[in-house]
Amino acid sequence: MTNSPWRSDDRRWALGVALCLCGAGAAALHCTRRRRRRAGETQGQPNGTRHASISRRDSQDGGRVRRGLPPRHAGPDSSGSLSDTYPAVDIGAVLGVDIGGTLSKLVYFEKKAPSEADPQCKPSGDPMGKKVEMKRTVSLGNLHDTMEQQEALKEFYTFMDQASRVGESGVKDAHLSVYSHALGGVLHFFHFETRFMDRAVEAIANSPIHRNIQALGCTGGGAFKFEESFLQRLAVRMLQMDEMECLVRGMQFALANIPEACYTYRPPVEVKKEGAPSGGEAEEGGGSGGDEPGPDPRDNLRNKRMREMAEVSAKREYTVKVGRSIADEPATTAYPALVVSLGSGVSIIKVDGPAKFKRVSGSSIGGGTYWGLCRLLTEATSYDESLDMARQGNSDKVDMLVGDIYGRGYSKFQLSSNTLASSFGKVGGMEAPGKPGSGVSEEDLVQSLLVMITMNIGQVAYLNAKLHNTRRIYFVGNFLRHNRLSGQQLAFAIDYWSSGEMEALFLEHEGYCGALGSFLMSGTEEPIGGGAASESTED
Ligand SMILES: Nc1ncnc2c1ncn2[C@@H]1O[C@H](COP(=O)(O)OP(=O)(O)O)[C@@H](O)[C@H]1O
Ligand SMILES: CC(C)(COP(=O)(O)O)[C@@H](O)C(=O)NCCC(=O)O
């Protein structure tokens, strides 16, 4: 791609912010130079201590690991010049970053009285989130102590307000902003593509915001990959945190503190039976398709539920989004649960209790696979566009169905004629696939691809849930962003394969759990080593 979201907007950012902040940009440049020098000095310390030693796991304190931000070091730098004194400000505590293989996610916190913010967020008591109280308010409490801190925060929030949309890639997900009573303020969410990280770093270096950030909580692979460039270019230290732990912590916090954080999809026929929510697309479920063989008395449909689902599966209609407040259920039903992270790749985590988890499996066929193949197969210029295309396509044009092979359904094993038998299976038999006149559109291809990747993830998730005896499967990650189709498919597949024993669950803040966890954890002090939270090893 030749378009550069960051480059095209660098000037706008810097100019806008400089104008708005009455020349703060120039001060920032001066400060950047000082900080760069300072970073160089840190690296050259005689004892060879590198900045990486700031990693939170390294600083032991009486048998505990201090996870809070390291103390700010205001005062003269090594030149001894007071005029070169570093600003006695560090607002890094309001930030949490998750730098993944494809997307970089930022969560930032803005302290507000409930009356100042939309009262969207009331504490709830989801058992999956119980006892996951973060002592985050401890470090947030000091943030407004001085005028300098307040000015720095104001500057930062102004900057982020202006950055609500940066070029093609930077997006503030304003619809996800939420008030947290537990934290006493609003959580905001922002993301951009990691491939633009170098340009993002340059844009930030040329803006005033980094000068008041000395260290910030960071997770994801990029916390390691970009550590050096953050330090050298911005003099910002990354406090590295494990991505699985952040993911679980962030998710548990969201479930416990954000009402309506969790939902699933159900078939209209089922929702209607239970009482359809207002606006639900309830309608009668159809039969199993006109070309189906009649019921075979020997078939082994296990029960009525299974038969109903086979009917629904014929139409693949898990279309109704249903809020899932599981707060009133006993905590015993909340665990164990499976968390499936649909990022560039797929990670599967078994959660046994608050902050008690283990990474049990993974798959390289994930969101990155979908988006990569999509770029090869179509002209889609953005992820969102590709999903809009998928919604318009007809994957049956390229997929081979059971009916294409049997000429009917395979009733002995409850495979209806429109069950997907082979993704892209028809293409092999086409005269000139991909050529004009083949009758296959990009929309058809991308829908087939989306279903293929989704079903593969669903199957890996289901088998792991079976293996680890988990009834609930939480699907998170940005593959589910702007992507109802995959959510609906997963809800259907998990329900169908498990004969209604398991449930697929989703989060409104699906892509931000890791960044949220990194924000929350960068202010906590907790024992590690032997603690369940550090149990993030594979089987
Ligand atoms: N704007 C986008 N650009 C690229 N991929 C996107 C975008 N929005 C969602 N995605 C999907 O989300 C995936 C990345 O999910 P994410 O949870 O952020 O993982 P990671 O941490 O590996 O970046 C991509 O592989 C893609 O499938
Ligand atoms: C390496 C990762 C943990 C990185 O996380 P991501 O940026 O994809 O969210 C993930 O891509 C993954 O688990 N991949 C699959 C590795 C495996 O086969 O288990």
Side-chain angles (χ1 to χ4, degrees):
M1 298 253 295
T2 49
N3 287 332
S4 150
W6 290 100
R7 190 170 291 158
S8 62
D9 284 288
D10 284 359
R11 277 200 197 140
R12 186 168 66 78
W13 278 45
L15 188 66
V17 171
L19 284 173
C20 177
L21 302 172
C22 308
L29 271 174
H30 171 66
C31 191
T32 305
R33 264 181 237 121
R34 265 191 287 135
R35 302 197 80 180
R36 236 178 278 152
R37 200 165 61 236
R38 196 181 165 87
E41 286 161 9
T42 309
Q43 223 184 2
Q45 278 170 355
N47 64 5
T49 314
R50 289 181 63 249
H51 42 267
S53 65
I54 292 158
S55 167
R56 60 195 53 234
R57 298 222 185 267
D58 292 348
S59 75
Q60 298 283 338
D61 176 15
R64 293 167 77 85
V65 168
R66 182 170 164 73
R67 292 189 171 198
L69 299 171
R72 232 178 350 88
H73 38 272
D77 67 9
S78 58
S79 72
S81 156
L82 276 175
S83 64
D84 231 9
T85 296
Y86 210 70
V89 176
D90 182 7
I91 60 163
V94 300
L95 299 165
V97 180
D98 174 8
I99 306 178
T102 308
L103 295 180
S104 296
K105 284 77 64 179
L106 167 72
V107 169
Y108 64 96
F109 174 78
E110 189 173 8
K111 190 175 172 184
K112 277 189 175 170
S115 56
E116 291 177 281
D118 291 340
Q120 295 173 50
C121 183
K122 287 176 278 168
S124 68
D126 189 304
M128 183 75 177
K130 268 180 190 160
K131 298 181 196 150
V132 192
E133 291 155 17
M134 298 287 165
K135 296 184 191 118
R136 198 59 182 81
T137 42
V138 175
S139 53
L140 293 172
N142 304 330
L143 270 169
H144 293 75
D145 278 1
T146 66
M147 280 293 286
E148 273 177 309
Q149 294 270 26
Q150 287 170 26
E151 278 304 309
L153 286 167
K154 200 169 146 201
E155 198 173 277
F156 173 75
Y157 296 132
T158 305
F159 182 88
M160 289 311 300
D161 280 350
Q162 293 195 344
S164 61
R165 181 147 200 117
V166 182
E168 288 171 41
S169 155
V171 177
K172 181 172 175 186
D173 284 309
H175 65 288
L176 293 179
S177 291
V178 68
Y179 189 84
S180 165
H181 284 279
L183 297 169
V186 179
L187 290 162
H188 301 278
F189 303 88
F190 183 88
H191 73 262
F192 65 92
E193 289 181 48
T194 303
R195 66 192 168 120
F196 298 121
M197 181 58 83
D198 290 341
R199 290 170 200 170
V201 167
E202 283 314 302
I204 294 166
N206 290 316
S207 81
I209 59 162
H210 67 293
R211 69 187 169 126
N212 294 319
I213 301 172
Q214 297 192 29
L216 53 80
C218 193
T219 191
F224 300 88
K225 185 173 169 187
F226 297 105
E227 179 193 21
E228 198 75 21
S229 97
F230 266 60
L231 193 75
Q232 295 300 328
R233 204 60 196 95
L234 307 175
V236 170
R237 290 167 296 168
M238 283 178 166
L239 306 171
Q240 296 154 336
M241 281 167 284
D242 176 71
E243 70 173 293
M244 302 302 147
E245 185 166 6
C246 286
L247 177 68
V248 173
R249 294 298 191 108
M251 194 185 119
Q252 290 178 322
F253 180 88
L255 287 171
N257 292 282
I258 302 177
E260 292 158 33
C262 186
Y263 64 91
T264 190
Y265 293 100
R266 296 233 176 103
V269 61
E270 200 169 292
V271 174
K272 192 171 182 185
K273 245 183 256 161
E274 290 174 7
S278 57
E281 306 155 36
E283 60 178 54
E284 290 296 343
S288 52
D291 56 349
E292 289 303 284
D296 181 342
R298 294 164 302 171
D299 78 17
N300 61 354
L301 279 181
R302 269 167 280 173
N303 52 37
K304 188 165 170 282
R305 164 98 183 147
M306 184 82 171
R307 198 172 291 115
E308 280 171 3
M309 285 196 301
E311 282 173 12
V312 173
S313 85
K315 295 177 83 181
R316 299 178 196 166
E317 278 181 345
Y318 273 48
T319 49
V320 186
K321 185 173 172 179
V322 182
R324 284 290 283 117
S325 170
I326 48 179
D328 300 332
E329 294 179 16
T332 43
T333 60
Y335 302 108
L338 209 65
V339 178
V340 182
S341 167
L342 312 187
S344 305
V346 177
S347 280
I348 302 184
I349 305 157
K350 185 188 179 206
V351 185
D352 283 309
K356 192 170 179 219
F357 70 91
K358 188 171 188 174
R359 185 183 185 278
V360 290
S361 191
S363 168
S364 62
I365 299 176
T369 320
Y370 164 76
W371 181 222
L373 289 174
C374 202
R375 297 285 312 275
L376 288 173
L377 288 172
T378 74
E379 298 287 323
T381 53
S382 75
Y383 182 77
D384 294 26
E385 186 193 346
S386 80
L387 288 157
D388 295 339
M389 287 167 70
R391 273 188 281 275
Q392 288 156 23
N394 178 7
S395 54
D396 291 355
K397 294 226 190 106
V398 285
D399 288 346
M400 203 178 264
L401 309 183
V402 169
D404 294 319
I405 301 171
Y406 273 70
R408 51 184 279 166
Y410 186 7
S411 63
K412 185 176 177 188
F413 294 106
Q414 301 85 50
L415 297 172
S416 69
S417 65
N418 60 2
T419 298
L420 175 57
S422 168
S423 294
F424 290 97
K426 276 188 188 138
V427 180
M430 286 178 182
E431 283 295 323
K435 299 269 164 51
S438 67
V440 174
S441 68
E442 290 194 351
E443 284 79 4
D444 302 333
L445 291 173
V446 75
Q447 189 183 84
S448 174
L449 179 63
L450 186 71
V451 171
M452 180 179 88
I453 302 285
T454 303
M455 288 313 231
N456 192 70
I457 292 170
Q459 193 140 44
V460 174
Y462 165 70
L463 292 173
N464 270 284
K466 214 60 199 140
L467 196 62
H468 298 286
N469 280 319
T470 57
R471 215 184 68 70
R472 290 197 174 121
I473 309 177
Y474 291 88
F475 291 95
V476 295
N478 275 312
F479 176 61
L480 295 168
R481 238 199 85 245
H482 195 65
N483 184 3
R484 259 176 98 98
L485 274 182
S486 289
Q488 292 171 352
Q489 292 265 327
L490 287 168
F492 154 64
I494 297 302
D495 198 23
Y496 183 71
W497 288 326
S498 72
S499 306
E501 291 297 311
M502 295 175 192
E503 185 176 24
L505 295 165
F506 308 92
L507 268 77
E508 296 288 353
H509 294 78
E510 70 263 301
Y512 285 104
C513 294
L516 188 54
S518 107
F519 158 71
L520 293 164
M521 284 172 57
S522 63
T524 60
E525 274 186 29
E526 284 177 349
I528 65 158
S534 57
E535 225 184 289
S536 53
T537 50
E538 293 208 37
D539 273 343

